[in-house]
């Protein structure tokens, strides 16, 4: 049994008119209709976006909010990236790594991701010499060797848009700024000279309302953070009342009605408290009655634990990583949770960092005099294997390589190259591999020479057979 999808709440009770989807109605069970309490529930925009001061206060003063901002960017950039499989020689790779260190690229990308999660967005501005004015579009082909001089990070609160691309839906910056203006300056920076990082992606209408920046992750998690804070503070306040002394005093009200009686009462129980503190003895008048009431904290740790896990799930980080919490349950290690989390971080590296880094590499390559098409990199592995797991894998790989070598599928130099790329042995380096390849080529040449040696006594396969006398012609017999 269904009803229409327009439901009217009683205006006299503060209700509002809502358009809701069709729902099940059961009059006997009082489900649906005006008598159903759930029918009075609706999602509404209950508060405005947290402003800069509130976000900064949360980040600086709430350890969970601060950790939620930092933890994912730290993991995304912790092991950084590698150009080992790019085809570039060691010298070129060293030049790239040196440039990254001089610019502080790893640290600034880390900070940009943190500020994007905190304020909804951030940009890294690239200072490129002899490439035109800052407000002009950057022509990649105009980037000269040695022209990339510096990079600077600005968060969303310190970089505002000058104009928005709302006319070209096929441009990569559609519904995004054409250029930015930095706080406390009159400098306009074209978007092609920046690398943009975003927070929680907003629908386009909300993006417009938010000055064309996306959202802070703390906006979505604010209610859960507040609930957790209240639960922790409430538990702390309970400690003051965990053990309460109750003393019944005859004529208490009458004594408190005069200043002398009040002072006498204060002095009397002050002495009693001192005696109890020093000697663990309480002295009472015969007409007085003493009780000690201890409060139970049973169930409070479980409630706090549930709040902690809700907060961890809101930020999509396992509790074992977020709080250093030991996993519960028989034989639980938390390894599967961490593996899934690191797989998620690896996915974020590909979607949220790789495009930005690829654009940076186009500029860095030209500044270093490297072919941009060779700037291929891989994100280093986040999950670190234990020593026993590593030894088991290396043993399995060694057995596999031995089979390939025995059946001439691989050469020793190829196996050595793989071991060098995986940093298995320090002593395996390009010079060692070059010597191996030289030895292998000499062996091939030697085998080729052996194959073409001619035995002077061997018969020539193309020589004609000598004539054989016919015994019948010269009268011979068989």
């Amino acid at each position: 049994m269904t009803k229409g999808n327009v439901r009217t709440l009683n205006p006299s009770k503060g209700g509002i008119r809502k358009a809701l989807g069709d729902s099940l109605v059961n009059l006997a069970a009082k489900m649906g209709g005006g008598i159903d309490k759930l029918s009075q529930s609706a999602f509404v925009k209950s508060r405005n976006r947290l402003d800069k001061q509130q976000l900064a206060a949360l980040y600086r003063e709430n350890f969970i909010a601060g950790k939620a901002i930092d933890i994912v960017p730290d993991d995304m950039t912790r092991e950084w990236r590698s150009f080992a499989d790019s085809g570039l020689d060691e010298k070129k790779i060293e030049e790239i790594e040196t440039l990254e260190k001089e610019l502080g690229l790893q640290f600034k990308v880390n900070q940009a991701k943190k500020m994007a999660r905190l304020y909804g967005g951030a940009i890294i501005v690239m200072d490129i010499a002899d490439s035109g004015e800052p407000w002009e579009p950057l022509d990649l082909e105009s980037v000269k060797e040695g022209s990339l001089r510096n990079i600077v990070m600005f968060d969303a609160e310190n970089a505002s848009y000058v104009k928005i691309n709302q006319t070209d839906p096929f441009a990569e910056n559609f519904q995004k700024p054409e250029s930015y203006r930095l706080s406390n300056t009159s400098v306009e920076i074209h978007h092609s000279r920046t690398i943009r990082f975003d927070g929680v992606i907003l629908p386009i209408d909300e993006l417009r309302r938010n000055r064309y920046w996306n959202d802070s992750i703390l906006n979505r998690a604010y209610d859960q953070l507040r609930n957790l804070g209240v639960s922790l503070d409430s538990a702390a306040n309970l400690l003051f009342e965990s053990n309460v002394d109750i003393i019944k005093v005859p004529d208490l009200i009458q004594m408190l009605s005069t200043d002398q009686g009040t002072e006498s009462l204060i002095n009397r129980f002050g002495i009693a408290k001192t005696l109890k503190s020093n000697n663990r003895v309480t002295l009472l008048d015969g007409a007085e009655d003493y009780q000690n009431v201890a409060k139970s904290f049973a169930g409070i740790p479980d409630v706090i634990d549930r709040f902690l896990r809700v907060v961890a799930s809101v930020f999509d980080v396992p509790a074992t990583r977020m709080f250093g919490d030991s996993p519960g349950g028989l034989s639980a290690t938390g390894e599967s949770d961490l593996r899934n989390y690191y797989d998620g971080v690896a996915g974020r590296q590909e979607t949220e960092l790789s495009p930005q880094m690829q654009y940076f590499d186009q500029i860095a390559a030209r500044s270093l005099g490297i072919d941009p098409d060779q700037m291929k990199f891989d994100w280093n592995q986040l999950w670190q294997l234990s020593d026993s797991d590593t030894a088991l894998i290396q043993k399995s790989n060694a057995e596999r390589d031995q089979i390939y070598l025995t059946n001439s599928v691989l050469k020793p130099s190829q196996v050595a190259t793989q071991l060098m790329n995986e940093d298995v042995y320090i002593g395996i380096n390009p010079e060692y591999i070059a010597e191996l390849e030289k030895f292998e080529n000499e062996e091939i040449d030697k085998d080729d020479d052996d194959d073409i040696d001619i035995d002077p006594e061997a018969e020539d396969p193309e020589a004609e057979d000598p004539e054989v006398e016919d015994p019948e012609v010269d009268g011979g017999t068989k």
Side-chain angles (χ1 to χ4, degrees):
M1 182 177 179
T2 60
K3 64 178 183 176
N5 60 357
V6 176
R7 178 174 297 152
T8 304
L9 305 184
N10 190 344
S12 64
K13 297 181 179 180
I16 55 176
R17 194 173 186 85
K18 288 288 180 181
L20 304 175
D22 289 350
S23 60
L24 178 68
V25 174
N26 188 321
L27 297 179
K30 298 182 180 180
M31 293 174 58
I35 58 177
D36 186 357
K37 294 180 179 179
L38 290 177
S39 67
Q40 309 301 316
S41 302
F43 285 101
V44 297
K45 189 175 180 181
S46 58
R47 56 180 172 78
N48 293 324
R49 172 180 178 269
L50 296 173
D51 59 29
K52 177 181 179 180
Q53 287 73 25
Q54 290 172 310
L55 291 171
L58 271 172
Y59 183 60
R60 294 185 62 184
E61 300 176 15
N62 185 286
F63 84 97
I64 295 177
K67 195 165 187 178
I69 293 294
D70 293 344
I71 193 167
V72 173
D74 284 344
D75 286 335
M76 292 176 74
T77 59
R78 169 165 47 88
E79 298 298 328
W80 202 228
R81 57 179 184 160
S82 170
F83 291 89
D85 297 330
S86 63
L88 293 168
D89 58 43
E90 288 294 324
K91 183 179 179 181
K92 293 296 184 183
I93 293 176
E94 288 179 3
E95 290 178 0
I96 296 171
E97 293 173 348
T98 299
L99 178 64
E100 289 186 352
K101 290 178 181 179
E102 290 176 350
L103 297 176
L105 179 65
Q106 183 177 358
F107 173 76
K108 290 175 183 177
V109 169
N110 174 278
Q111 294 300 302
K113 283 300 299 179
K114 289 179 180 179
M115 294 302 100
R117 288 167 66 83
L118 177 59
Y119 293 121
I123 57 172
I124 289 180
V125 179
M126 295 176 285
D127 179 14
I128 306 169
D130 302 324
S131 62
E133 298 297 336
W135 57 84
E136 296 177 340
L138 175 65
D139 179 9
L140 289 177
E141 300 304 324
S142 70
V143 178
K144 300 177 182 178
E145 192 167 342
S147 60
L148 181 56
R149 298 182 297 193
N150 193 20
I151 57 175
V152 185
M153 190 278 296
F154 294 89
D155 60 54
E157 297 296 335
N158 289 287
S160 57
Y161 70 89
V162 177
K163 53 185 176 180
I164 303 297
N165 174 17
Q166 296 179 326
T167 58
D168 185 1
F170 299 107
E172 56 88 18
N173 71 319
F174 180 60
Q175 297 290 1
K176 292 181 180 179
E178 280 284 347
S179 56
Y180 299 88
R181 178 166 285 116
L182 307 179
S183 294
N184 302 320
T185 72
S186 59
V187 178
E188 180 180 340
I189 307 293
H190 194 267
H191 76 89
S192 61
R193 300 174 183 272
T194 69
I195 304 173
R196 177 175 171 128
F197 299 84
D198 287 302
V200 178
I201 302 301
L202 290 175
I204 187 62
D205 290 337
E206 293 297 321
L207 184 70
R208 293 192 188 99
R209 296 188 186 99
N210 205 34
R211 302 176 294 116
Y212 289 92
W213 287 110
N214 285 289
D215 206 9
S216 168
I217 66 168
L218 298 183
N219 272 309
R220 185 178 292 179
Y222 179 76
D223 291 340
Q224 285 69 34
L225 286 170
R226 180 187 58 192
N227 293 341
L228 175 59
V230 170
S231 67
L232 291 173
D233 289 345
S234 298
N237 285 325
L238 282 176
L239 295 175
F240 292 105
E241 301 180 7
S242 61
N243 202 323
V244 179
D245 293 335
I246 299 176
I247 302 176
K248 297 180 181 179
V249 180
D251 302 325
L252 176 63
I253 300 302
Q254 183 178 354
M255 293 177 63
L256 294 175
S257 62
T258 63
D259 293 339
Q260 184 179 358
T262 301
E263 183 178 357
S264 175
L265 188 68
I266 292 174
N267 292 335
R268 183 256 179 276
F269 285 106
I271 295 173
K273 184 177 179 181
T274 302
L275 289 172
K276 182 180 179 182
S277 300
N278 293 337
N279 305 311
R280 300 174 63 184
V281 174
T282 299
L283 297 179
L284 298 175
D285 187 86
E288 294 175 336
D289 182 26
Y290 170 80
Q291 289 181 329
N292 179 269
V293 179
K295 294 212 174 170
S296 173
F297 288 87
I300 293 179
D302 292 333
V303 173
I304 293 176
D305 181 69
R306 295 300 183 273
F307 278 120
L308 288 171
R309 294 185 181 279
V310 167
V311 168
S313 66
V314 168
F315 293 117
D316 201 18
V317 177
T320 50
R321 180 73 181 93
M322 186 81 173
F323 306 114
D325 185 25
S326 299
L330 185 63
S331 301
T333 63
E335 182 174 315
S336 61
D337 291 342
L338 285 177
R339 281 185 178 273
N340 291 336
Y341 165 69
Y342 285 131
D343 287 344
V345 172
R348 287 183 171 183
Q349 287 176 325
E350 292 296 330
T351 57
E352 298 178 19
L353 284 187
S354 287
Q356 286 89 336
M357 300 310 301
Q358 287 164 358
Y359 184 69
F360 170 83
D361 288 344
Q362 292 291 307
I363 298 169
R366 290 172 169 83
S367 182
L368 291 172
I370 299 174
D371 181 4
D373 293 335
Q374 290 186 287
M375 296 287 284
K376 298 178 181 178
F377 65 90
D378 296 303
W379 295 105
N380 290 322
Q381 187 177 5
L382 295 172
W383 177 257
Q384 303 298 318
L385 297 174
S386 64
D387 292 340
S388 59
D389 289 339
T390 301
L392 186 62
I393 291 173
Q394 290 180 355
K395 181 177 181 294
S396 176
N397 290 343
E399 293 173 349
R400 177 202 63 192
D401 294 341
Q402 181 61 48
I403 295 172
Y404 289 156
L405 289 170
T406 302
N407 293 278
S408 301
V409 177
L410 291 176
K411 300 176 184 178
S413 61
Q414 293 173 313
V415 175
T417 301
Q418 183 68 22
L419 293 174
M420 180 184 70
N421 291 338
E422 294 175 354
D423 292 329
V424 177
Y425 297 107
I426 299 176
I428 298 180
N429 50 43
E431 291 77 14
Y432 175 80
I433 294 173
E435 289 294 327
L436 271 181
E437 292 174 343
K438 180 180 178 181
F439 176 76
E440 290 166 354
N441 293 333
E442 289 175 352
E443 287 296 311
I444 292 173
D445 293 340
K446 182 179 178 181
D447 291 341
D448 291 342
D449 292 340
D450 291 343
D451 290 340
I452 61 175
D453 284 345
I454 300 176
D455 185 353
E457 297 181 359
E459 294 183 356
D460 186 355
E462 297 182 358
E464 295 182 359
D465 294 336
E467 292 186 4
V468 180
E469 294 182 355
D470 189 346
E472 297 181 355
V473 174
D474 58 8
T477 60
K478 288 184 177 180

